[in-house]
Amino acid sequence: MEASEVQSVFARARRAQAQWALSPVHRRREIMLRLHDLILENQVELIDLVQAETGKSRSSAFDEVIDVALTARHYAYRAGHLLRTKRVRGALPVLTHTTVQRSPRGVVGIIAPWNYPLSMALSDAIPALLAGNAVVLKPDEKTTGTAVRGLELLEEAGLPGEVMQVVPGPGSTVGQEIVAQCDYLMFTGSTATGRKLAAQAGERLIGYSAELGGKNPLIVCADADIDKAAHGAVQACFSNTGQLCISIERIYVHEAVADRFLSRFLALVNDFRLGHGWTDDVGSLISAEHLARVNELVEDAILHGARVLAGGRPLPDLGRTFYAPTVLIDVPPTARLHTEEVFGPVVYVEKVATVDEAVAKANDSSYGLSASVWGRELTARDVASRLEAGAVNINDGFGAAWASLDAPMGGWKDSGQGRRHADEGLLKYTESRTIAAQRLMPLNGPSLISRERYTSLLSTALRLGKRVLR
Ligand code: NAD
């Protein structure tokens, strides 16, 4: 698509949004509940499509089906409450009647990556649409088909035409036109692009939220159940072939249990079945270019002294984008993948002497998206509270926090800005309008009382109010 075509998409979206914003919230809710059912009914076709575009395993593709269904259901039931006009405490008790309304922002631009093409096409659009916005979505060029099919299902569920539109094309033209036109921008992708778009959104003074890269740590405490920790860790490192912003790329394991953990972890990795069937654990990477980058980072680490305990190479016999699940140790800080996100099936493991050392190492990163801690819950909670990350999973790799849709999800530091999920994941797509009606007496006092007397009365009222109104 050309940039000029995106402009006419926005013009049509604005017309459609004006009507959509007038529709009652219960009607929008019914559409999202129908979408929930349609996604589940059409799951086999959707999984086929996601697999054809990304090469991921079937069970990783099914995660997307579940994510969209859960999101549709969660926000369908939450939207009515969130969008209702709320009475809040006014400036002067009784005399100031204050309410807060929520209005849609207009046309929300969503720019999505390729790694979760169904989730990323629909799960951010659902709350934006429920809030009364139109949506213009640009999927990654490699995964346009899934986004288009997702939109078809939304329309089959009852979404009026042109309330949501998909604009395929490159970021540099189509993506940039979205940034120039939209009233709110939701971006998921790399930190480099996210930073650039943040500056542009800032220049336009539009709202912006972004989920970006991560270099997520997993800590195994001395009191962890080692078998469960090893199983959880392989899931956390290799789901979606590691092409997951919240997947684990660094493991810090207490020296008291390190040998046991490592041998169990490696046994599980060596047992992996690679392929595209239901029984396969790990699929292929998105593209040959991505494979080359993953391999380059691993070779750089080896060159700097890292040791390979598993994998460490492409698997051309299986297909041109298969890469062996890779476990490294002795990765020095000079190796690029010590700090850079790989976004592939590669993890390094380090022994630590204390929990404090594990926490310090986990936090020693410019990223702060997700983390995982394995241990007795009491110990693990204490460790979790010290981590600089938007989400910390205890005795789970990443899914527990992600699927807790009532809790915010997003990144500290270079991992993002704003949040998805939770109430703020819908409210960010609204503008608030405060309406305060002053009754009986103006805020600066009745005309019959002198200013001096009024300030003295007001000061007494403030002192009393501090005790009474909490
Ligand atoms: P990317 O930033 O290159 O591309 C993401 C999207 O932005 C694509 O649709 C692309 O076309 C578009 N884009 C690129 N340049 C643009 C520009 N100048 N203007 C407008 N749009 C532009 O990211 P990628 O490499 O394709 O995806 C992988 C990255 O995404 C990884 O760093 C990963 O951690 C991150 N990611 C984060 C999350 C999350 O939820 N935090 C989820 C998935 C992926």
Side-chain angles (χ1 to χ4, degrees), residues 170-193:
S172 55
T173 53
V174 171
Q176 278 296 299
E177 197 56 39
I178 291 181
V179 179
Q181 301 274 336
C182 67
D183 303 311
Y184 185 93
L185 182 61
M186 171 72 216
F187 173 74
T188 308
S190 64
T191 296
T193 308

Side-chain angles (χ1 to χ4, degrees), residues 214-216 236-239 242-249 344 398:
K215 185 81 189 170
N216 308 300
C237 300
F238 302 111
S239 283
Q243 302 164 115
L244 173 59
C245 56
I246 49 182
S247 72
I248 296 296
E249 298 200 1
F398 56 76

Side-chain angles (χ1 to χ4, degrees), residues 341-365:
E341 181 185 45
V342 179
F343 215 56
V346 180
V347 62
Y348 67 83
V349 183
E350 268 186 53
K351 283 185 196 178
V352 288
T354 61
V355 158
D356 288 349
E357 187 187 348
V359 169
K361 286 191 158 153
N363 288 340
D364 184 18
S365 169

Side-chain angles (χ1 to χ4, degrees), residues 111-115 138-140 171 175-176 187-190 193 196-197 211-213 245 341 343 369 420:
I111 299 182
W114 45 261
N115 64 333
K138 193 198 90 60
D140 188 275
Q176 278 296 299
F187 173 74
T188 308
S190 64
T193 308
K196 200 184 299 173
L197 302 194
E211 268 203 36
L212 308 173
C245 56
E341 181 185 45
F343 215 56
L369 189 56
R420 55 159 64 98

Side-chain angles (χ1 to χ4, degrees), residues 274-294:
L274 279 80
H276 292 137
W278 267 117
T279 51
D280 293 319
D281 303 298
V282 180
S284 51
L285 291 167
I286 181 82
S287 64
E289 297 77 54
H290 191 47
L291 179 135
R293 183 176 176 274
V294 169

